[in-house]
Amino acid sequence: MNHLSLIIKREYLTKVRNKSFIIMTFLSPMIMIGLIALVAYLSQINNNQNRNISILDETGLFNTVFADSEHIKYTFLNDISLDNAKELVNSKEEYGLLYIKKSNDSIQPYEDAKFYSEDSPSLTIISSLEDKIEKKLTDLKLVQDGVDIEKIKSSRTYITIGQESFEGQKTSKIDSYLKLAFGGAAGYLLFMFIIIYGNMIMRSVIEEKTSRIIEVIISSVKPIQLMMGKIIGTSLAGVTQFVIWVILGGVMVFVVSAIFGIDLMQIQSPQQEMIQQAMASSDAQNQAQEFMTAFLNLPILNLCVAFLFFFLGGFLLYSSLYAAIGAAVDSETDTQQFMMPIIMPLVLAVYVGVFTVIEDPHGTVSTVFSFIPFTSPVVMLMRIPFGVPIWQQILSFTLLVGTFVFTVWFAAKIYRVGILMYGKKPSYKELFKWLKY
Amino acid sequence: MNDVLVAKNVSKHFGDFKALNDVSIAVPKGSIFGLLGPNGAGKTTLIRIINQITMPDSGSVFLDGNPLKPTDIQNIGYLPEERGLYKSMKVGEQALYLAQLKGMSKQDAKDRLKYWFDKLEIGDWWNKKIQELSKGQAQKIQFIVTVLHRPKLLIFDEPFSGFDPINATLIKDEILQLRDEGATVIFSTHRMESVEELCDHIALIHKSNKILDGKLNDIKRQYKTNTFEVGLQTSNPDDVVNSIKSKFEVLPATFKNLNDDIKLNIKLSEPTSSNDLLTFLTSKAEVHHFVEVIPSANDIFIQTVTNN
């Protein structure tokens, strides 16, 4: 067996057998799902609470406006003074009292409204009350001005603009949201992966330094082999963990929703909401069909291939830098000064991805950042669902590979010198000197 | 070619710092070669160059007459001064891994490990983790890992540190046995008594330069001053001492003896031989003690380093 595969095997097995790794692998999805279930459960309890609201309407205009809903019951109080009403509502321990004050103006009898309650009332309830009163008053005013409300209602029209590319491919809003979701998920996944497993690589290099085994190892293998073995072994462990998370997460969502009857999908992420809004505007019949066409419209093959390449390229690029940092320092506390230049471009990439790609996937900023090697993996992955010309993808990937080769060379240099340096806290100047050793 | 390892004119810089300056050594086959020098002299750099961990700026290293190549790591066993093992890995697994990195097949490594574990009576450690072992115990594992792949060149950097006297003797005997089986040993240490005990050849590196090199006995011969330590018993010591002083260069001597003797260091100059001195002394007094003063490795070390 050659050295590289031996090292990969060892790195993989040590990571996978590590107790905290195993615990994290199985516990994290449980904690995540558990938390989501808890939030879902709690918000359900909250919504289930029945609330009684009493209304003292001096104007008499709003008798028909407040209809009981599932969780809110309205009671109208008549012929009672405000003070008595307050006392009554308080003694019955109701949620609150809505008081609508009458003005002396006979044409517009509404003056203002107040809500009395024990605790400060929920915002949603207040705004729903406001909505109801506003709507009624608007209607009233329109009638007074001689406008036919029925006509307004019937003249209201809903439209959707059909989208079609010049090549004749039909697209829709759902399409855009779907692209956004795919791109965002891919970019974010890469970002997380780099941070979690890059750190793991760094720690394992530091561990080899502190346990002083490094000299024994590199009297047998080349430092670059050791470094690559570490990176590949750790990434494989990372992929294993991710796959287990996805599977476990899926199973647990299924199990939890089956047991507790909580529809976890009800808790919506903003993206889901956007999709649903987009769907709401189209015909219910067409929804599923449209979703499918949108899905099929995605450049799926391109997406998969590009994901694989850019994910690998991006991860290897950053992890070689993490390995170099690990080699340069003696302990994890010394890594701070070198972490900044790694985290910065990553965070920048995610920000560019989130703020500009959504607005304008093929604008100057997005395009430029999808070529710069340190941001290209994340930004390009976010752009690709929107359709990026193949030549751009190839050029960007070539640049990425070129930079990767360079950083590996650079990292290997630092690594080779750094792993044998003890007790020194290196400065950037010193690192530069190491390149020449 | 009788030298297993030859380093020719090896130089190495680290930035402005010169770690090795034109150093050449030749390690004869089957010898135990002591690589000596004060701290920071450049020994470790030289050893790392031999192990291809660092590359020399200039000069070259030959193993068995051929320039060093990457596969030669299989022929070298290296026990670094900064040693360590993966703490959370099991002993057996770790030894197998390190042996395979040295190019052994898994089965071969297993057989050899069993042999060594039995020999050092540590068979029951196989499934223990390194962190459960004491420092000395871990050192034993480290020693086994170093010699497991039957390298023809063994390099030990301070091999006895961390061992109690019993285990140090055990390891020393193992090193000697490996030498007898045909291995060549390079031995770097500050403990001069083990140099005295083990080394046939030594090289002394000081401030990046090699300042002394050769067979230990030759060097001692070179450093000896033709001085003899004598103990005499006589009834009139003053007369005897005076008559010796008139003929030879005399220095006071201290050594332990049963009798309250005259104790002297007598330095001979050409052409007087030791027999001449002995004949002269026996005519004057009763000779209880007569030994040639041979410089110890320790004396040679201190003398050369301070003179440079």
Side-chain angles (χ1 to χ4, degrees):
Chain A
M1 240 201 279
N2 73 44
H3 289 162
L4 189 62
S5 58
L6 269 173
I7 297 168
I8 293 174
K9 194 175 141 205
R10 193 204 85 88
E11 290 296 331
Y12 180 78
L13 288 179
T14 348
K15 296 281 155 359
V16 172
R17 282 189 204 152
N18 185 293
K19 277 204 193 80
S20 58
F21 184 91
I22 295 174
I23 292 172
M24 277 308 289
T25 306
F26 289 96
L27 216 57
S28 321
M30 290 191 201
I31 292 174
M32 277 295 287
I33 301 295
L35 274 180
I36 292 175
L38 187 71
V39 171
Y41 180 64
L42 289 180
S43 61
Q44 227 166 27
I45 292 181
N46 211 23
N47 288 341
N48 281 343
Q49 220 169 40
N50 289 321
R51 285 170 175 150
N52 294 313
I53 294 175
S54 295
I55 298 168
L56 179 60
D57 178 13
E58 289 181 348
T59 61
L61 288 172
F62 301 98
N63 289 334
T64 53
V65 171
F66 297 100
D68 289 354
S69 72
E70 202 181 336
H71 299 302
I72 303 177
K73 286 209 154 47
Y74 299 102
T75 323
F76 282 92
L77 305 173
N78 295 314
D79 306 324
I80 190 169
S81 75
L82 176 60
D83 289 338
N84 288 344
K86 279 201 250 179
E87 220 166 275
L88 179 71
V89 171
N90 201 5
S91 68
K92 283 204 285 183
E93 289 184 358
E94 287 187 350
Y95 189 73
L97 168 71
L98 176 68
Y99 169 60
I100 302 172
K101 194 176 175 191
K102 189 181 178 177
S103 72
N104 295 327
D105 188 348
S106 59
I107 304 167
Q108 177 56 280
Y110 171 80
E111 189 170 310
D112 68 351
K114 262 206 175 87
F115 192 81
Y116 298 96
S117 63
E118 176 95 40
D119 311 311
S120 44
S122 113
L123 280 177
T124 44
I125 287 184
I126 292 295
S127 64
S128 104
L129 292 176
E130 279 169 350
D131 273 354
K132 288 189 168 91
I133 297 174
E134 263 169 25
K135 197 161 175 295
K136 179 71 192 172
L137 288 176
T138 313
D139 285 356
L140 255 171
K141 213 166 187 183
L142 286 172
V143 172
Q144 279 166 1
D145 292 350
V147 180
D148 186 350
I149 292 175
E150 283 311 309
K151 268 194 180 152
I152 290 182
K153 274 184 185 158
S154 64
S155 62
R156 185 162 290 164
T157 35
Y158 296 92
I159 60 144
T160 22
I161 297 180
Q163 300 171 30
E164 197 166 321
S165 72
F166 288 120
E167 284 88 34
Q169 207 175 46
K170 284 203 170 110
T171 56
S172 66
K173 265 195 265 179
I174 296 183
D175 212 56
S176 300
Y177 293 129
L178 204 62
K179 284 171 177 171
L180 212 63
F182 264 81
Y188 195 67
L189 198 67
L190 174 59
F191 174 75
M192 290 303 293
F193 205 83
I194 288 176
I195 294 214
I196 298 176
Y197 299 104
N199 255 307
M200 202 182 260
I201 289 171
M202 189 179 76
R203 275 202 304 276
S204 112
V205 176
I206 294 176
E207 187 219 323
E208 257 166 19
K209 270 189 88 173
T210 45
S211 72
R212 299 286 197 261
I213 193 177
I214 195 77
E215 202 165 347
V216 176
I217 301 277
I218 59 167
S219 66
S220 307
V221 299
K222 291 220 168 322
I224 190 157
Q225 280 179 320
L226 180 60
M227 190 179 88
M228 289 312 293
K230 244 177 208 317
I231 292 175
I232 297 171
T234 310
S235 342
L236 288 179
V239 170
T240 312
Q241 193 170 46
F242 252 73
V243 169
I244 294 177
W245 277 348
V246 169
I247 293 173
L248 263 187
V251 170
M252 294 213 22
V253 167
F254 183 75
V255 170
V256 168
S257 46
I259 292 176
F260 298 105
I262 300 166
D263 189 358
L264 291 179
M265 292 309 154
Q266 262 177 2
I267 305 161
Q268 291 163 342
S269 68
Q271 274 149 345
Q272 277 174 321
E273 241 166 71
M274 279 195 281
I275 293 176
Q276 279 190 348
Q277 274 170 16
M279 282 176 166
S281 62
S282 59
D283 259 352
Q285 276 181 320
N286 288 336
Q287 271 181 19
Q289 201 192 339
E290 230 175 283
F291 189 80
M292 272 317 287
T293 36
F295 185 75
L296 292 174
N297 274 349
L298 285 174
I300 291 170
L301 181 68
N302 183 204
L303 209 66
C304 292
V305 173
F307 180 75
L308 199 71
F309 278 84
F310 279 98
F311 196 89
L312 266 180
F315 180 68
L316 290 178
L317 178 71
Y318 275 100
S319 54
S320 62
L321 290 179
Y322 270 104
I325 293 180
V329 300
D330 267 352
S331 69
E332 229 180 313
T333 44
D334 293 345
T335 58
Q336 292 307 326
Q337 57 163 335
F338 299 114
M339 292 299 280
M340 268 296 275
I342 289 197
I343 300 293
M344 283 297 284
L346 256 186
V347 172
L348 186 70
V350 171
Y351 275 116
V352 167
V354 170
F355 289 115
T356 64
V357 173
I358 289 175
E359 270 306 305
D360 187 4
H362 304 308
T364 321
V365 179
S366 321
T367 313
V368 168
F369 276 97
S370 64
F371 282 110
I372 299 173
F374 286 93
T375 54
S376 69
V378 173
V379 179
M380 193 52 110
L381 281 181
M382 290 185 170
R383 274 187 70 201
I384 282 176
F386 294 94
V388 176
I390 289 293
W391 71 265
Q392 281 195 11
Q393 296 184 27
I394 291 175
L395 178 63
S396 167
F397 187 67
T398 315
L399 283 174
L400 182 64
V401 170
T403 318
F404 164 64
V405 170
F406 172 76
T407 49
V408 166
W409 170 84
F410 167 85
K413 278 261 182 188
I414 302 252
Y415 194 85
R416 209 167 53 102
V417 181
I419 42 182
L420 292 173
M421 291 272 177
Y422 294 113
K424 264 193 197 168
K425 206 174 159 186
S427 59
Y428 281 106
K429 202 176 138 200
E430 204 146 344
L431 286 190
F432 185 69
K433 250 170 49 187
W434 289 2
L435 293 181
K436 292 185 288 191
Y437 281 3
Chain B
M1 192 55 102
N2 219 7
D3 293 331
V4 171
L5 182 97
V6 176
K8 270 191 187 148
N9 310 103
V10 173
S11 295
K12 178 74 187 173
H13 288 81
F14 292 111
D16 297 332
F17 175 69
K18 194 158 209 169
L20 283 177
N21 182 24
D22 206 21
V23 171
S24 301
I25 57 165
V27 182
K29 191 169 168 50
S31 66
I32 297 187
F33 188 98
L35 191 60
L36 315 178
N39 296 321
K43 286 171 299 183
T44 305
T45 308
L46 182 60
I47 290 175
R48 282 180 183 169
I49 286 171
I50 295 170
N51 277 297
Q52 303 177 72
I53 292 171
T54 28
M55 297 296 130
D57 296 340
S58 63
S60 39
V61 183
F62 300 87
L63 189 74
D64 272 340
N66 303 311
L68 268 189
K69 51 188 182 298
T71 48
D72 280 335
I73 52 156
Q74 298 179 14
N75 298 317
I76 301 178
Y78 174 37
L79 182 70
E81 187 180 7
E82 292 280 13
R83 44 184 154 250
L85 296 161
Y86 290 112
K87 290 200 167 51
S88 52
M89 218 173 158
K90 283 178 182 160
V91 171
E93 224 171 78
Q94 175 147 232
L96 272 180
Y97 171 63
L98 293 172
Q100 280 175 285
L101 285 185
K102 282 283 187 191
M104 294 180 89
S105 76
K106 198 169 183 178
Q107 194 50 52
D108 188 19
K110 248 184 197 161
D111 295 345
R112 292 288 297 167
L113 275 172
K114 193 174 169 353
Y115 163 81
W116 274 104
F117 274 49
D118 288 348
K119 190 168 186 186
L120 298 184
E121 294 166 349
I122 54 172
D124 52 332
W125 291 2
W126 188 271
N127 278 323
K128 279 190 182 173
K129 284 184 178 173
I130 293 293
Q131 59 202 9
E132 297 167 34
L133 300 180
S134 76
K135 194 180 169 201
Q137 290 171 324
Q139 297 272 54
K140 265 190 185 174
I141 305 292
Q142 194 112 41
F143 177 81
I144 293 174
V145 167
T146 311
V147 301
L148 193 73
H149 57 293
R150 285 166 284 209
K152 54 181 152 195
L153 179 64
L154 284 162
I155 303 176
F156 295 111
D157 202 342
E158 295 291 358
F160 303 123
S161 68
F163 279 124
D164 60 47
I166 295 169
N167 279 316
T169 313
L170 186 80
I171 294 299
K172 191 187 75 191
D173 291 344
E174 292 301 336
I175 292 176
L176 287 172
Q177 198 186 335
L178 284 164
R179 197 265 317 264
D180 294 341
E181 286 166 7
T184 307
V185 180
I186 295 179
F187 185 40
S188 169
T189 184
H190 292 124
R191 303 204 339 191
M192 287 305 146
E193 69 273 15
S194 38
V195 174
E196 202 85 58
E197 216 176 335
L198 292 170
C199 297
D200 331 306
H201 282 69
I202 61 164
L204 184 61
I205 295 178
H206 180 48
K207 288 186 180 160
S208 324
N209 290 287
K210 187 184 75 176
I211 53 174
L212 192 67
D213 183 12
K215 280 191 175 162
L216 187 58
N217 284 340
D218 290 350
I219 291 172
K220 286 191 167 182
R221 229 163 269 143
Q222 198 185 314
Y223 272 74
K224 73 172 187 178
T225 48
N226 247 357
T227 305
F228 291 83
E229 198 174 68
V230 298
L232 305 170
Q233 201 165 32
T234 176
S235 48
N236 49 341
D238 292 346
D239 291 353
V240 172
V241 170
N242 283 334
S243 68
I244 297 172
K245 273 186 178 166
S246 64
K247 285 197 78 160
F248 305 99
E249 192 185 334
V250 175
L251 301 160
T254 46
F255 53 86
K256 281 185 181 151
N257 205 329
L258 286 177
N259 306 312
D260 195 15
D261 286 326
I262 306 172
K263 295 175 185 173
L264 295 172
N265 270 326
I266 303 174
K267 193 173 178 182
L268 298 184
S269 47
E270 295 292 328
T272 329
S273 75
S274 54
N275 272 352
D276 297 339
L277 174 64
L278 195 56
T279 324
F280 177 79
L281 291 175
T282 44
S283 70
K284 297 287 177 191
E286 201 182 332
V287 179
H288 279 241
H289 181 98
F290 188 86
V291 179
E292 182 172 15
V293 178
I294 298 168
S296 67
N298 201 28
D299 297 336
I300 295 172
F301 184 95
I302 294 170
Q303 201 184 329
T304 0
V305 168
T306 40
N307 285 350
N308 274 271

